[in-house]
């Protein structure tokens, strides 16, 4: 009996952080298998569907590497990314000419959130690239970008 009353309250409390930025990773086996071997699982919420579809159509020339996969898996991952892509909150992820951005790190939202990180910091040997989220966001692989889990390495 006690549990029946407490559970909804507990669930409501757990759901609260979702009102802030929620980049938790929806489960998807194909995405995890194909998209986390070279880098962390980037949150689908951080690009809009248009950007993801462009990326998924150009995997053979993916940031200087060949990340191509068979068509069936490619279509499944493209669907998954589009369905979980950032909507209104992320804004459209296009450049000044309206072309879809393929880098989260080039989006206005990313730039806004990282205004306090200076150019020299991004280039530290321990960080290398803004795309290396996990260098500073220690729980990035789990989709947690909250301030309490940030440690900028020397
Ligand atoms: C063969 C290795 C490899 C695989 C597999 C791979 N990637 Fe990448 N990806 C890269 C490299 C290299 C970069 C550029 C990293 C950098 O600039 O530091 C990158 C960058 C990215 C970026 C942009 C990061 C930024 O700068 O904001 C996204 C988004 C991305 N990958 C998504 C995916 C998705 C989705 C998949 C699965 C379909 C995938 N990647 C599979 C190598 C790979
Ligand atoms: C050089 C370290 C560093 C790297 C690399 C980095 N970040 Fe951050 N990020 C920060 C810092 C510092 C903040 C907090 C800025 C502030 O509080 O003003 C932040 C804030 C954020 C926030 C906002 C968190 C919130 O609670 O509002 C998100 C989302 C985020 N980063 C995502 C990413 C993603 C995705 C990547 C990789 C593509 C990335 N970051 C790479 C340092 C980094």
């Amino acid at each position: 009996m006690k549990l029946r009353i407490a559970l909804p309250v507990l669930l409501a409390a757990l759901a609260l952080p979702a009102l802030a930025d929620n980049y938790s990773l929806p489960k998807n086996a194909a995405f995890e298998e194909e998209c986390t071997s070279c880098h962390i699982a980037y949150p689908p919420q951080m690009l809009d569907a248009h950007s993801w579809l462009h990326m998924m159509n150009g995997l053979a020339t993916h940031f200087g590497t060949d990340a191509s996969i068979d068509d069936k898996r490619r279509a499944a991952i493209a669907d998954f990314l589009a369905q979980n892509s950032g909507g209104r909150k992320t804004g459209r992820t296009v450049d000044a000419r309206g072309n879809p951005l393929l880098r989260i790190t080039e989006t206005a939202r990313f730039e806004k959130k990282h205004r306090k990180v200076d150019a020299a910091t991004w280039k530290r040997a321990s960080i290398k690239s803004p795309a290396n989220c996990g260098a500073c966001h220690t729980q990035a692989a789990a989709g947690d970008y909250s301030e309490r889990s940030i440690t900028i390495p020397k």
Side-chain angles (χ1 to χ4, degrees):
M1 241 357 228
K2 241 186 204 166
L3 187 69
R4 276 207 195 142
I5 299 159
L7 198 58
V9 176
L10 179 68
L11 288 179
L14 287 175
L16 273 180
L19 293 173
D21 292 340
N22 181 5
Y23 299 112
S24 62
L25 286 172
K27 278 261 160 254
N28 185 281
F31 173 71
E32 277 160 37
E33 281 161 32
E34 306 293 354
C35 306
T36 64
S37 51
C38 304
H39 46 66
I40 61 145
Y42 292 116
Q45 300 92 328
M46 287 190 188
L47 287 176
D48 71 11
H50 198 46
S51 287
W52 284 125
L53 295 180
H54 263 259
M55 181 178 303
M56 293 306 290
N57 283 332
L59 287 179
T61 52
H62 180 78
F63 304 97
T65 63
D66 181 352
S68 49
I69 48 178
D70 73 72
D71 266 352
K72 217 174 142 195
R73 276 172 99 70
R74 190 175 59 83
I77 295 171
D79 273 356
F80 161 75
L81 290 168
Q83 269 168 30
N84 294 286
S85 60
R88 267 177 303 162
K89 212 171 70 172
T90 311
R92 284 186 73 208
T93 50
V94 292
D95 66 17
R97 306 169 76 188
N99 297 318
L101 288 169
L102 302 183
R103 281 189 181 273
I104 293 164
T105 50
E106 285 175 357
T107 61
R109 186 175 180 78
F110 184 92
E111 282 168 10
K112 191 170 150 216
K113 295 277 183 192
H114 296 85
R115 215 175 268 147
K116 290 184 204 150
V117 182
D118 60 46
T121 304
W122 293 122
K123 292 188 190 123
R124 284 181 195 165
S126 53
I127 297 169
K128 293 188 198 80
S129 158
N132 190 11
C133 321
C136 307
H137 296 278
T138 58
Q139 305 300 316
D144 174 4
Y145 292 88
S146 60
E147 273 183 60
R148 72 184 121 73
S149 61
I150 300 175
T151 311
I152 300 182
K154 295 255 179 294

